[in-house]
């Protein structure tokens, strides 16, 4: 069956590192001028895999000049300049001085970079991500207002993400050991990764960068994070590894419990449905043209294995609640709706980038597989029921 993309966006990922300074081999310098920046405060931050750490700040001079010096990282790392809520990401690896000039109005869009080719590449990727984000934000707005259908949304979202990946892939495979490759790989829109580690094609990009970083910087926290992500996703795609699903945690590291309203206005909690059962968590939208065929596929497997403890927890992202109720009322499994639709925090937590998307939990509440092909769902479920 054709699988449709449903993606959101937000800016994520950091940047790379710089090493030596002319006067001090253990420090790097970032300097420049911010037009119309008189008296404004500029911040220098280090961006880790989980948060941004404030390193220094400076009040801009009358002519907008600034200069930061900081201890250089031992391995490439990511940094950014922050002016109010605007961000400029840059990379530090073997460069001693980076010059970044901009203005206060379009600080994060119209800046220039000198002294670091990697940071120039990161600017290109940043602007590409911004373009993608703007497109998706408009698509979400149109879908919420029902100006476009779910199928139209998916088709346009699919085209948009392909355009980003087509350009970003060049940065990854041209030099997979570079900071721009790492940056390209982890760009997000509204909290979702543009390169999906669970997608077979995208997984190759993760593998290329992970292998190269692991060869050069095996002890770096960023490398360990990337290698863990890649190997875990690869194992899950192969059905070789389970991840814990803690029913007592509302927000765990990988997946989290869900409680949503059904057609009869009753709240159903996923962890309760999952007790001693094998559960398919199915994200879908009944408005989509292929929804009837998708549900027919589910029904065959459900009827065959429900007596053995197979359950379906189907989460709808439809914008028309009345339409959803009419479509879901006669389905034999648990049908709930997320009123946030494409703005859902749930799909961000589960990194749902296309519809339908499914996850299988075993009887112990462990995440055992992300469904790659619903035509193989029966074999996936049967392996968990044994």
């Amino acid at each position: 069956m054709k699988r449709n993309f449903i993606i959101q966006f937000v800016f994520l990922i950091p940047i790379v590192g710089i090493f030596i300074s002319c006067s001090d081999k253990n420090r790097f310098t970032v300097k420049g001028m911010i037009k119309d920046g008189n008296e404004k405060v500029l911040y220098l931050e280090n961006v880790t895999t989980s948060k941004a750490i404030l390193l220094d700040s400076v009040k801009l001079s009358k002519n907008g000049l600034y200069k930061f010096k900081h201890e250089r990282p031992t391995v490439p790392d990511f940094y950014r300049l922050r002016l109010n809520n605007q961000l400029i990401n840059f990379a530090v690896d073997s460069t001693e001085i980076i010059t970044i000039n901009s203005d206060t109005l379009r600080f994060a869009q119209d800046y220039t970079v000198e002294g670091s080719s990697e940071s120039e590449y990161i600017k290109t990727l940043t602007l590409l991500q911004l373009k993608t984000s703007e497109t998706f934000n408009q698509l979400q707005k149109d879908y919420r207002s029902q100006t476009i259908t779910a199928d139209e949304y998916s088709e346009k979202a699919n085209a948009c993400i392909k355009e980003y990946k087509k350009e970003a892939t060049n940065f990854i495979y041209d030099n997979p050991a570079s900071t721009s490759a790492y940056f390209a790989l982890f760009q997000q829109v509204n909290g979702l990764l543009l390169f999906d580690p669970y997608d077979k094609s995208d997984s190759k990009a993760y593998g290329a960068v992970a292998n190269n970083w692991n060869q050069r910087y095996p002890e770096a926290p960023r490398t360990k994070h990337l290698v863990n992500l890649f190997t875990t996703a690869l194992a899950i795609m192969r059905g070789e590894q389970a991840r814990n699903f803690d029913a007592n945690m509302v927000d765990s590291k990988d997946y989290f419990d869900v409680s949503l309203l059904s057609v009869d206005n009753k709240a159903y909690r996923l962890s309760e449905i999952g007790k001693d059962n094998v559960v398919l968590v199915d994200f879908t939208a009944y408005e989509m043209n292929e929804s009837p065929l998708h549900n027919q596929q589910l029904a065959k497997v459900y009827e065959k294995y429900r007596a053995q403890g197979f359950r379906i927890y189907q989460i709808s992202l439809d914008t028309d609640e009345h339409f959803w109720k009419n479509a879901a009322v006669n389905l034999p499994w648990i049908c709930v709706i997320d009123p946030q639709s494409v703005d859902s925090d749930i799909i961000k937590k589960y990194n749902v980038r296309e519809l339908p998307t499914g996850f299988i939990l075993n009887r112990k509440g462990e995440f055992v597989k992300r469904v790659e092909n619903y035509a193989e769902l029966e074999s996936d479920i049967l392996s968990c029921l044994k």
Side-chain angles (χ1 to χ4, degrees):
M1 179 192 296
K2 173 185 175 183
R3 290 162 64 85
N4 298 281
F5 280 101
I6 192 153
I7 311 170
Q8 297 180 315
F9 291 48
V10 121
F11 196 101
L12 167 105
I13 283 324
I15 326 169
V16 175
I18 176 172
F19 289 144
I20 12 183
S21 174
C22 290
S23 59
D24 186 349
K25 292 183 179 181
N26 294 319
R27 297 172 72 83
F28 71 87
T29 299
V30 55
K31 63 184 181 69
M33 182 183 73
I34 309 301
K35 185 179 179 181
D36 300 323
N38 183 22
E39 298 297 307
K40 290 182 171 60
V41 178
L42 183 67
Y43 299 91
L44 172 65
E45 298 175 336
N46 175 214
V47 189
T48 70
T49 57
S50 60
K51 62 182 178 179
I53 301 173
L54 177 63
L55 301 179
D56 202 355
S57 64
V58 64
K59 182 177 287 187
L60 297 172
S61 64
K62 291 183 179 180
N63 55 8
L65 294 176
Y66 72 91
K67 178 185 286 188
F68 290 112
K69 285 190 175 184
H70 196 269
E71 181 180 355
R72 66 179 176 84
T74 56
V75 297
D77 205 2
F78 292 97
Y79 297 84
R80 71 187 187 191
L81 297 176
R82 175 167 59 87
L83 183 69
N84 298 324
N85 293 322
Q86 299 185 82
L87 306 172
I88 293 177
N89 293 299
F90 65 94
V92 178
D93 47 22
S94 60
T95 306
E96 42 186 59
I97 298 177
I98 298 177
T99 301
I100 299 177
N101 298 319
S102 189
D103 59 42
T104 57
L105 183 62
R106 290 178 56 82
F107 178 75
Q109 289 83 40
D110 293 342
Y111 66 95
T112 61
V113 181
E114 297 177 5
S116 171
S117 58
E118 283 297 303
S119 296
E120 292 185 65
Y121 298 152
I122 286 170
K123 176 187 176 181
T124 300
L125 289 163
T126 297
L127 296 180
L128 179 60
Q129 185 272 347
L130 179 62
K131 176 184 176 183
T132 306
S133 180
E134 290 174 345
T135 300
F136 271 86
N137 285 337
Q138 185 60 50
L139 286 173
Q140 289 179 334
K141 181 180 179 181
D142 292 342
Y143 179 59
R144 289 192 303 270
S145 65
Q146 299 183 20
T147 304
I148 59 175
T149 66
D151 288 288
E152 289 173 327
Y153 174 88
S154 296
E155 181 181 355
K156 293 179 180 179
N158 188 17
C160 185
I161 198 170
K162 283 185 176 179
E163 182 178 349
Y164 169 83
K165 287 162 65 174
K166 181 180 179 180
E167 296 190 44
T169 298
N170 294 329
F171 289 91
I172 293 173
Y173 288 109
D174 284 351
N175 186 4
S178 67
T179 52
S180 57
Y182 188 102
F183 186 86
L185 197 63
F186 280 97
Q187 287 304 287
Q188 298 180 1
V189 175
N190 294 348
L192 298 180
L193 290 168
L194 294 173
F195 281 91
D196 185 357
Y198 296 96
D199 178 86
K200 291 182 180 179
S201 177
D202 292 355
S203 178
K204 295 177 182 178
Y206 278 95
V209 179
N211 289 334
N212 277 269
W213 276 65
N214 197 40
Q215 290 176 12
R216 296 195 181 191
Y217 322 108
E219 298 303 317
R222 193 175 300 282
T223 299
K224 293 180 179 180
H225 171 264
L226 173 58
V227 170
N228 179 65
L229 175 64
F230 168 66
T231 55
T232 298
L234 189 63
I236 289 174
M237 284 192 292
R238 293 172 176 172
E240 298 173 351
Q241 180 174 337
R243 299 300 298 270
N244 290 333
F245 176 82
D246 190 342
N248 297 315
M249 294 183 66
V250 175
D251 192 354
S252 63
K253 180 179 179 182
D254 298 293
Y255 294 91
F256 77 128
D257 205 358
V258 177
S259 180
L260 294 169
L261 296 178
S262 67
V263 177
D264 57 4
N265 210 36
K266 178 182 177 181
Y268 284 90
R269 184 170 292 278
L270 175 58
S271 57
E272 293 297 319
I273 304 300
K275 285 183 178 179
D276 299 320
N277 293 315
V278 172
V279 182
L280 169 67
V281 184
D282 182 67
F283 290 87
T284 190
Y286 298 156
E287 299 173 60
M288 302 183 73
N289 290 334
E290 296 194 17
S291 177
L293 178 59
H294 173 65
N295 284 333
Q296 288 175 24
Q297 285 184 318
L298 297 187
K300 291 179 181 179
V301 181
Y302 183 72
E303 291 301 324
K304 191 171 182 179
Y305 298 105
R306 63 185 300 182
Q308 298 180 42
F310 173 50
R311 301 289 182 266
I312 296 176
Y313 189 90
Q314 190 170 57
I315 302 173
S316 166
L317 301 180
D318 290 285
T319 56
D320 187 335
E321 186 173 348
H322 180 72
F323 179 89
W324 163 73
K325 285 185 176 180
N326 286 335
V329 66
N330 293 318
L331 293 176
W333 49 78
I334 302 298
C335 301
V336 295
I337 189 168
D338 189 333
Q340 292 183 309
S341 186
V342 291
D343 295 319
S344 170
D345 290 332
I346 296 174
I347 65 174
K348 294 176 185 178
K349 293 291 184 180
Y350 280 80
N351 200 39
V352 175
R353 300 174 61 242
E354 56 185 350
L355 295 182
T357 288
F359 301 87
I360 299 174
L361 304 177
N362 65 16
R363 296 186 193 275
K364 296 180 180 180
E366 296 171 329
F367 167 61
V368 292
K369 191 166 187 181
R370 177 168 176 161
V371 180
E372 292 294 322
N373 184 354
Y374 275 87
E376 300 173 358
L377 178 63
E378 182 174 357
S379 62
D380 293 337
I381 295 301
L382 189 58
S383 65
C384 295
L385 290 171
K386 291 180 179 179

